[in-house]
């Protein structure tokens, strides 16, 4: 590389003379090991290392640590982290702790001391990843981290103190497999909330009773849940623009419902992006309030694991589409539905056909088609009602059935199109589900 | 009225080239490949561009240039890093001993 060969030529140390915000940006992009290495180079860099506000003890850190040892020694690893924290001066803005599975650090109590330490040092961005199946009980000093802006917890247990007022500056919370044991509020500034396979979510309801700043809500559950999910605790959701409700179907589980889904959608008057997957959409019957008043701000709709041979889903998906007159992008994935009966009730399709015009819809992706009648009717209806359509991407399941593909393609060619610019493409790569 | 020196003109030209490319192309893969090529420059120019991006508050350029510098540091020994960036060792021998001991975790397990 040219860089190694030619240095700056005049032997001037430019990097050490950079403004401090730039040196901070460079340090932020270095692992702990590399940043510590910088610390032995000169007095300037020693000061920078000691005041480095980004302490990321992630799996890369631990694997480099363990590479040098014959076998991982938890006392030594623990001592190294403690020493770094002890020698540190100044605020710690960014703290990540990701203890690897193999390490015996799981059982040591130093973690609590570290968290207490950073709570006193103004931590803003905190990430605690626990890979083991036993949830890690987060110490109460977490709730003293009053400068927190971003919180990311994995496989932990949150035991909020009573009358905890929330974090004044917290805007982003991501919880993976976290168990919440008591009512708690994250604070009024919360904008983004991601809950992945968490339990005790209803304890978060208190902060959503009144006006709040939530704009992004993403809830994912696994297939462990056999009961319907109740979202009634989300009362005040006016500012939400992105909603994602996803259930991963690992086996052919019964469809469970989201209670109050229609009420939720009805209250989200500014919703821009909606993702629904793995839930039964029965609560969206066409006579519910949400579908009487259109979702005028909805531009992106992602439906995952829809089953069009099941007469239910097709009807509700169509209702959703019809209630979104300004929809610009539609994504439907038909995977995950094993029970595909061939005959389905197409009467509601024809009923909706007459008055459906989606004049903003430009981009449609449909994955996992098997060529059944309802699917084809749906595509036909879309082509007829979308005068602005530019791209329709389709994909078949199973993949290598060229005769089937040809048959579908022949059918598609015959359908009239409202948009003269519409292109129909067979997709090679399938996108998992909508990313924002 | 001050005229812009030839050096400054060269740096600004590079900054503008970056901004225009990133404004016109939307394909992330194409941009990545173009960026790799763009950042094949000598250290002096690189640091000049960092300062320009910082002053002009062009976040994406600042981010990429700092990432480029970080990549030059990753995985190198302290001596190599000193050589690449001309960082002068201004520790006294005692201080150096102290510092090396303190940073055991960085140096012991390379």
């Amino acid at each position: 590389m040219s860089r190694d060969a030619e240095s700056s030529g005049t032997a001037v140390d430019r990097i050490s003379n950079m403004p401090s915000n730039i040196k901070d940006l460079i340090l932020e992009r270095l692992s702990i090991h590399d940043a510590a290495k910088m610390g032995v180079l000169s007095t300037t860099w020693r000061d920078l290392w000691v005041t480095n506000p980004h302490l990321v003890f992630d799996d890369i850190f631990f694997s480099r640590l363990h590479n040098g040892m014959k076998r991982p020694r938890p006392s030594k690893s623990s001592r190294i982290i403690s020493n770094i924290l002890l020698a540190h001066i100044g605020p710690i803005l960014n703290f990540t702790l990701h203890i690897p599975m193999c390490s015996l650090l799981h059982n040591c109590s130093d973690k609590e001391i570290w968290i207490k330490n950073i709570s006193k040092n103004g931590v803003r961005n905190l990430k605690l990843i626990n890979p083991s199946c036993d949830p890690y009980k987060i110490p109460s000093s977490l709730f003293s981290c009053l400068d927190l802006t971003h919180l990311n917890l994995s496989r932990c247990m949150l035991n909020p103190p009573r009358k905890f007022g929330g974090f004044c500056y917290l805007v982003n919370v991501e919880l993976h497999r976290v168990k919440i044991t008591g009512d708690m509020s994250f604070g009024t500034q919360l904008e983004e909330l991601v809950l992945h396979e968490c339990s005790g979510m209803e304890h978060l309801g208190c902060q959503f009773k009144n006006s709040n700043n939530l704009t992004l809500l993403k809830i994912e559950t696994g297939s462990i849940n056999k009961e319907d999910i109740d979202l009634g605790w989300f009362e005040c959701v006016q500012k939400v623009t992105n909603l994602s409700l996803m259930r991963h179907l690992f086996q052919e589980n019964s469809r469970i419902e989201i209670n109050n889904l229609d009420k939720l959608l009805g209250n989200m008057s500014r919703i821009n992006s909606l993702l629904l997957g793995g839930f039964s959409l029965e609560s969206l019957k066409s006579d519910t309030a949400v579908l009487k008043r259109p979702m005028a701000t909805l531009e992106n709709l992602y439906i995952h694991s829809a089953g069009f041979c099941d007469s239910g889903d097709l009807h509700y998906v169509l209702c959703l589409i019809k209630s979104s007159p300004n929809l610009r992008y539609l994504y439907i994935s038909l995977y995950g539905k094993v029970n595909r009966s061939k005959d389905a009730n197409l009467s509601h399709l024809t009923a909706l056909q007459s008055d459906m015009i989606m004049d903003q819809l430009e981009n449609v992706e449909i994955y996992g088609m098997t060529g059944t009648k309802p699917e084809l009717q749906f595509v036909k209806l879309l082509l007829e009602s979308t005068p602005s359509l530019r791209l329709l991407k389709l994909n078949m399941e199973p993949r290598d059935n060229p005769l089937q593909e040809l048959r579908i393609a022949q059918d598609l060619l015959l359908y009239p199109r409202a948009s003269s610019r519409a292109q129909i493409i067979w997709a090679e790569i399938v996108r998992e589900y909508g990313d924002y | 009225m001050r005229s812009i020196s030839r050096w400054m003109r060269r740096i600004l030209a590079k900054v503008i080239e970056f901004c225009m490319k990133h404004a016109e192309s939307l394909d992330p893969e194409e941009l990545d490949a173009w960026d790799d090529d763009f950042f094949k420059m000598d250290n002096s120019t690189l640091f000049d561009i960092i300062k320009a991006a910082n002053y002009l508050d062009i976040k994406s350029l600042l981010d990429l240039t700092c990432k480029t510098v970080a990549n030059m540091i990753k995985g190198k020994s302290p001596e190599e890093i000193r050589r690449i960036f001309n960082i002068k060792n201004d520790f006294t021998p005692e201080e150096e001993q102290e510092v090396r001991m303190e940073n055991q975790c960085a140096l012991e397990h390379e």
Side-chain angles (χ1 to χ4, degrees):
Chain A
M1 281 254 276
S2 62
R3 248 168 250 123
D4 281 20
E6 346 164 342
S7 48
S8 65
T10 49
V12 166
D13 177 4
R14 296 207 55 190
I15 191 175
S16 305
N17 294 323
M18 284 279 127
S20 53
N21 72 310
I22 291 179
K23 286 191 283 214
D24 181 67
L25 285 172
I26 296 173
L27 263 183
E28 191 182 348
R29 284 157 179 77
L30 292 175
S31 66
I32 296 255
H33 280 87
D34 289 323
K37 236 187 301 173
M38 294 298 287
V40 307
L41 296 183
S42 68
T43 51
T44 313
W45 287 98
R46 180 199 199 178
D47 292 337
L48 282 170
W49 158 241
V50 155
T51 55
N52 182 13
H54 312 284
L55 295 179
V56 173
F57 300 105
D58 57 5
D59 42 356
I60 300 175
F61 168 79
F62 282 101
S63 70
R64 274 176 90 161
L65 207 59
H66 295 158
N67 271 344
M69 307 181 192
K70 288 206 185 68
R71 53 187 165 80
R73 279 143 60 196
S75 56
K76 184 148 193 201
S77 320
S78 166
R79 190 161 47 87
I80 288 175
I81 298 180
S82 294
N83 284 346
I84 293 177
L85 282 172
L86 207 60
H88 191 272
I89 300 174
I92 297 176
L93 300 178
N94 201 337
F95 186 80
T96 295
L97 184 59
H98 177 168
I99 300 177
M101 247 338 262
C102 63
S103 172
L104 295 167
L105 270 177
H106 286 296
N107 297 329
C108 92
S109 56
D110 288 354
K111 296 194 290 285
E112 282 75 55
I113 300 176
W114 300 334
I115 295 176
K116 188 149 200 175
N117 180 299
I118 58 164
S119 73
K120 295 195 189 136
N121 278 308
V123 65
R124 295 201 193 155
N125 197 328
L126 175 60
K127 190 167 165 177
L128 294 174
I129 310 283
N130 168 29
S132 95
C133 291
D134 294 321
Y136 170 58
K137 193 153 166 270
I138 303 250
S140 56
S141 42
L142 169 71
F143 300 95
S144 314
C145 298
L146 298 174
D147 293 309
L148 217 51
T149 59
H150 289 69
L151 180 63
N152 186 325
L153 301 174
S154 165
R155 297 190 207 230
C156 302
M157 208 153 52
L158 265 181
N159 246 329
R162 261 198 287 166
K163 299 199 180 167
F164 173 61
F167 300 97
C168 313
Y169 306 106
L170 191 58
V171 291
N172 177 302
V173 172
E174 262 188 62
L175 305 178
H176 301 257
R177 302 206 182 197
V178 170
K179 186 168 166 190
I180 305 170
T181 58
D183 283 354
M184 71 166 289
S185 165
F186 283 118
T188 51
Q189 296 305 308
L190 189 66
E191 290 175 8
E192 299 183 343
L193 179 61
V194 175
L195 300 169
H196 186 146
E197 305 203 31
C198 297
S199 61
M201 293 190 287
E202 60 279 3
H203 290 295
L204 299 175
C206 44
Q207 65 211 294
F208 301 114
K209 277 202 163 37
N210 303 306
S211 166
N212 56 72
N213 284 312
L214 195 69
T215 55
L216 184 145
L217 176 63
K218 193 167 161 182
I219 299 183
E220 286 184 35
T221 68
S223 54
I224 314 166
N225 254 325
K226 295 273 190 282
E227 304 123 13
D228 296 344
I229 308 257
D230 190 347
L231 291 178
W233 47 276
F234 266 115
E235 290 187 29
C236 194
V237 288
Q238 271 88 346
K239 292 193 187 169
V240 173
T241 55
N242 275 352
L243 175 66
S244 169
L245 300 169
M246 179 79 194
R247 178 164 171 258
H248 299 285
L249 299 165
F250 296 117
Q251 311 133 357
E252 185 52 27
N253 278 323
S254 57
R255 302 291 291 250
I256 67 174
E257 276 194 44
I258 309 175
N259 288 334
N260 299 309
L261 176 60
D262 52 335
K263 182 159 161 260
L264 195 67
L265 286 178
N267 284 336
M268 290 182 178
S269 49
R270 296 190 208 169
I271 187 162
N272 177 277
S273 273
L274 175 63
L275 185 152
L276 292 172
F279 291 103
S280 152
L281 298 176
E282 273 186 33
S283 56
L284 296 173
K285 299 194 217 311
S286 52
D287 57 351
T288 51
V290 64
L291 298 172
K292 280 203 195 121
R293 192 189 73 222
M295 293 188 277
T297 51
L298 190 67
E299 289 184 357
N300 306 301
L301 179 61
Y302 308 79
I303 307 278
H304 189 67
S305 301
F308 276 3
C309 288
D310 188 340
S311 58
D313 273 3
L314 175 57
H315 178 62
Y316 304 124
V317 171
L318 277 172
C319 284
L320 267 177
I321 295 174
K322 273 200 77 182
S323 322
S324 320
N326 293 313
L327 197 65
R328 297 185 63 174
Y329 173 76
L330 174 66
Y331 169 105
I332 297 182
S333 140
L334 299 166
Y335 296 108
K337 192 73 175 132
V338 172
N339 230 355
R340 295 181 185 210
S341 52
K342 292 291 180 208
D343 46 354
N345 195 346
L346 295 174
S347 58
H348 33 252
L349 247 187
T350 38
L352 288 166
Q353 214 159 310
S354 47
D355 55 348
M356 179 156 133
I357 302 279
M358 306 296 304
D359 55 12
Q360 304 292 327
L361 192 52
E362 294 181 348
N363 203 329
V364 178
E365 293 179 50
I366 305 181
Y367 295 111
M369 289 184 65
T370 52
T372 59
K373 233 169 176 248
E375 287 171 13
L376 291 173
Q377 281 291 86
F378 178 74
V379 175
K380 181 161 183 272
L381 176 58
L382 273 181
L383 286 170
E384 282 173 358
S385 52
T386 51
S388 307
L389 189 68
R390 295 214 277 190
L391 186 61
L392 172 60
K393 245 192 203 169
L394 300 169
N395 161 275
M396 272 205 57
E397 176 72 18
R399 297 291 289 276
D400 25 309
N401 191 341
L403 277 176
Q404 174 87 295
E405 280 189 14
L406 183 59
R407 182 175 70 79
I408 295 181
Q410 282 173 336
D411 285 338
L412 289 180
L413 275 174
L414 292 172
Y415 296 155
R417 303 178 196 181
S419 163
S420 55
R421 291 189 300 165
Q423 282 188 320
I424 303 185
I425 297 182
W426 289 106
E428 281 301 319
I429 305 168
V430 179
R431 283 171 50 191
E432 267 295 302
Y433 51 88
D435 297 318
Y436 290 119
Chain B
M1 196 164 73
R2 262 191 254 153
S3 59
I4 302 180
S5 67
R6 197 163 55 175
W7 159 83
M8 205 185 289
R9 230 180 286 155
R10 190 171 61 91
I11 301 299
L12 281 176
K14 280 245 154 219
V15 171
I16 292 171
E17 188 191 341
F18 176 88
C19 293
M20 285 186 57
K21 180 66 186 178
H22 276 246
E24 75 182 26
S25 166
L26 294 174
D27 177 6
E29 279 175 27
E30 187 201 341
L31 279 177
D32 277 344
W34 187 90
D35 288 341
D36 278 345
D37 221 36
F38 179 77
F39 288 113
K40 290 191 173 113
M41 53 180 70
D42 60 277
N43 283 4
S44 177
T45 313
L46 182 61
F47 283 116
D48 285 334
I49 293 187
I50 290 184
K51 284 181 95 169
N54 191 35
Y55 182 71
L56 296 169
D57 200 18
I58 306 173
K59 286 201 166 52
S60 56
L61 180 56
L62 188 56
D63 179 58
L64 279 169
T65 43
C66 289
K67 203 161 81 167
T68 306
V69 174
N71 285 338
M72 288 161 68
I73 294 173
K74 281 181 192 169
K76 303 250 174 29
S77 72
E79 291 73 31
E80 284 177 294
I81 300 174
R82 271 214 192 97
R83 218 177 338 115
I84 295 173
F85 294 105
N86 299 304
I87 301 178
K88 186 158 174 283
N89 180 353
D90 58 353
F91 290 123
T92 66
E94 297 82 28
E95 276 177 335
E96 174 140 19
Q97 262 293 61
E98 218 178 275
V99 154
R100 281 192 178 256
M101 269 183 53
E102 277 173 12
N103 282 285
Q104 260 179 29
C105 79
L107 301 176
E108 211 179 305
H109 307 291
E110 276 311 292

